[in-house]
Amino acid sequence: MPDQRHRRLTRLANSVLQPGFVGTTAPDWVLRRIADGLSSVVLFGRNIQTLEQVAALTASLRAENPDLVIAVDEEAGDVTRLERHTGSSRPGNLALGTVDDPELTFQVAHGLGRDLRTAGISLNYAPSADVNSNPLNPVIGVRSFGAHTATVARHTAAWIQGLQSAGVAACAKHFPGHGDTTVDSHHGLPRLDADAETIARVALPPFRAAVEAGVRSVMTAHMLIPAYDDTLPATLSPRIVSGLLRGELGFTGLVVTDAIEMGAVSDLYGITGATVKAVAAGADAVCVGGENAEEATTAALAEALARAVQDGDLPEERLAEASGRVTEFARWSRSLPQEASQCAGDGDTGLAAARRAVRVHRRPDARTALPLAGAPHVVELAPTTHLAIDGGTPWGMADPLRALRPDTTSVRLGESDLAHADALDRAALAPAEGRALVVVVRDAARHSWMERALDGLVRRRPDAVVVEMGVPSDAAPAAVHLNTHGATRVCGIAAAEVLLGAV
């Protein structure tokens, strides 16, 4: 009998895990786990080549369980999985918030939902409902609809409604708001020291709007918020998950953790300890496998949950409740029409949206005219991106400009490339002699080396045009600069059209 109970608890534990795996086809261990109660999986960029390939993959997974929840982290901006090989064909949240047309946001999200539905995906870990109130935030930035609470709230609602109208569940993240932080939770534990009144006024309204819009899922943040809990990170805090999210905001849907192997929680409690604490706090599904994608991790987490029940550290009723919410979610998803719904005017809006998001700024003393008269030399200053962004995703201005002017020349420089004093002259300025100079940066205000390089280039070439593809800075050094509000493929195309007069 004890063995039977342990097997039953293990099946329950399997049902609340959302593991990732390696490969573009389903590994045998995932199929075996599905047969043993695994109710969800999550896809990452490593699993995706084309929509057709993903559709075949999801079909093979659902052959084992038609109600399987298949999730992905597809923000349709700088964070893209479906289009990681090309860059997203849609602008991200900051661009949409800058345009500030909720109907456009709805259409962009609906079009994405149709692609995801076609690919067999039922849950999307998006949108970011974080208010990017700290411009130096290292992990949110352009993933947010902006720095103003009201803007973020209305676009969060529109994005959710657009995505879910196409038959894919949205997941508002990172509750209760990751916007005013300076630590990347992939590596450490962010801390938000605002008081409860400030958090309620600034960070919570987008999540309230998400709940009112009918969001099916909410993802918790790995961050310490002493105003609510001075000991446990939000993901592991009953006060925040069960008290604030369930009780005060009235959310009754699926609560999903951010990746449980992230340093903010796993460094403190280990991956198994964090998993048990998250479910005990009120989480219904545990995302894992961005980095730990082997069967051994999933087996260890399932065993830890089952043992926690047997040892009295996790109430069996709480584990059963979490499993029931996963089952309820899966049934909702399966009940939707298999063909994604249509939406009048939801065609290829991505490039049109990116065009509307470009902002051109000229100082009165600017001598550089747009469009540029000749072929440009492009200098791209490239930062190291955080783990939410696939490092191999193309971005920048060189390729879009070259598509319009094949004689465009370019160089991409990182921090290490600028170690030598003459690096800028050799790599950037010498090739630009006789050409227009276009300097492309990405969140320059967050990278001191990039600010120094940019200042050096503009001092030596006052006619340079600067394109900021991250969060705009108030202190732009160039007489002419463009803000694209994102680094997706269409953001680059839209800026290139402005620079060369193609539109």
Side-chain angles (χ1 to χ4, degrees):
M1 293 294 284
D3 287 344
Q4 289 183 353
R5 182 176 188 236
H6 188 77
R7 284 196 295 270
R8 179 171 57 81
L9 291 175
T10 300
R11 286 187 66 86
L12 277 178
N14 277 330
S15 71
V16 305
L17 300 178
Q18 295 191 340
F21 56 87
V22 176
T24 55
T25 58
D28 289 342
W29 74 264
V30 171
L31 302 179
R32 291 196 310 272
R33 287 261 159 195
I34 293 173
D36 196 25
L38 186 68
S39 299
S40 310
V41 296
V42 56
L43 304 183
F44 293 90
R46 62 183 176 234
N47 306 118
I48 296 172
Q49 295 293 332
T50 65
L51 278 180
E52 293 75 18
Q53 168 265 321
V54 179
L57 170 59
T58 57
S60 71
L61 289 164
R62 287 212 175 90
E64 304 295 321
N65 175 8
D67 287 339
L68 188 73
V69 177
I70 301 179
V72 73
D73 186 7
E74 175 56 63
E75 298 180 11
D78 288 20
V79 177
T80 180
R81 313 304 177 205
L82 291 185
E83 299 183 279
R84 73 185 186 100
H85 298 293
T86 61
S88 180
S89 58
R90 300 174 176 93
N93 286 359
L94 184 58
L96 294 171
T98 298
V99 176
D100 200 10
D101 179 351
E103 177 58 28
L104 177 65
T105 297
F106 179 99
Q107 290 181 11
V108 168
H110 183 89
L112 172 65
R114 291 180 62 189
D115 284 351
L116 292 172
R117 184 76 176 174
T118 298
I121 290 165
S122 53
L123 170 60
N124 186 14
Y125 296 152
S128 168
D130 307 295
V131 180
N132 196 56
S133 50
N134 185 341
L136 300 182
N137 193 310
V139 72
I140 301 300
V142 297
R143 302 166 67 192
S144 167
F145 289 109
H148 301 291
T149 297
T151 301
V152 176
R154 63 175 166 267
H155 286 278
T156 293
W159 207 98
I160 288 167
Q161 291 165 343
L163 186 80
Q164 294 189 166
S165 70
V168 176
C171 182
K173 63 185 184 186
H174 307 78
F175 185 82
H178 210 311
D180 189 15
T181 57
T182 57
V183 174
D184 183 347
S185 51
H186 292 92
H187 307 296
L189 179 63
R191 179 185 174 105
L192 175 60
D193 284 318
D195 57 43
E197 181 182 353
T198 300
I199 295 170
R201 185 181 71 254
V202 176
L204 289 185
F207 292 97
R208 293 187 185 276
V211 173
E212 292 170 3
V215 70
R216 302 297 305 190
S217 180
V218 170
M219 177 176 283
T220 57
H222 298 333
M223 53 187 293
L224 191 67
I225 310 171
Y228 297 118
D229 192 324
D230 60 3
T231 303
L232 294 169
T235 295
L236 316 182
S237 171
R239 297 177 188 172
I240 293 175
V241 179
S242 298
L244 182 62
L245 179 57
R246 295 284 191 207
E248 185 175 326
L249 269 65
F251 179 64
T252 60
L254 190 73
V255 175
V256 183
T257 73
D258 206 345
I260 205 68
E261 67 263 52
M262 290 166 63
V265 291
S266 65
D267 286 354
L268 295 173
Y269 303 101
I271 188 170
T272 55
T275 295
V276 171
K277 285 182 175 294
V279 176
D284 306 307
V286 177
C287 173
V288 66
E291 298 171 72
N292 298 75
E294 61 283 338
E295 181 180 13
T297 298
T298 301
L301 298 186
E303 177 65 18
L305 288 167
R307 288 292 177 195
V309 172
Q310 292 177 312
D311 293 343
D313 296 325
L314 173 64
E316 184 173 347
E317 295 80 8
R318 168 79 275 270
L319 182 59
E321 178 188 47
S323 178
R325 282 213 183 90
V326 175
T327 299
E328 179 184 1
F329 176 93
R331 287 174 179 165
W332 168 83
S333 179
R334 195 183 183 196
S335 71
L336 297 171
Q338 290 305 301
E339 293 298 325
S341 62
Q342 300 294 314
C343 174
D346 82 335
D348 184 16
T349 59
L351 180 55
R355 286 168 174 158
R356 291 176 64 184
V358 174
R359 298 291 183 267
V360 180
H361 303 273
R362 295 177 59 88
R363 290 206 309 255
D365 62 339
R367 291 175 292 176
T368 303
L370 296 180
L372 300 174
H377 178 64
V378 182
V379 179
E380 295 173 338
L381 301 177
T384 300
T385 56
H386 55 76
L387 288 177
I389 297 176
D390 192 312
T393 303
W395 71 278
M397 294 297 308
D399 289 342
L401 286 168
R402 196 171 287 115
L404 297 175
R405 284 293 303 254
D407 51 347
T408 296
T409 57
S410 67
V411 62
R412 175 167 289 188
L413 302 173
E415 182 176 9
S416 61
D417 298 313
L418 300 176
H420 300 290
D422 62 345
L424 281 179
D425 290 316
R426 290 188 292 104
L429 294 175
E433 187 174 349
R435 289 174 172 263
L437 178 61
V438 176
V439 184
V440 184
V441 294
R442 193 172 181 180
D443 295 316
R446 288 202 304 106
H447 303 282
S448 58
W449 70 268
M450 192 182 298
E451 283 192 310
R452 291 192 300 270
L454 178 59
D455 182 66
L457 287 169
V458 171
R459 277 192 291 104
R460 283 175 260 186
R461 283 288 301 266
D463 61 329
V465 176
V466 173
V467 181
E468 171 61 85
M469 303 193 80
V471 176
S473 169
D474 292 334
V480 179
H481 67 275
L482 279 65
N483 294 323
T484 63
H485 303 95
T488 74
R489 173 164 52 92
V490 289
C491 291
I493 293 171
E497 292 173 341
V498 172
L499 291 175
L500 295 182
V503 173

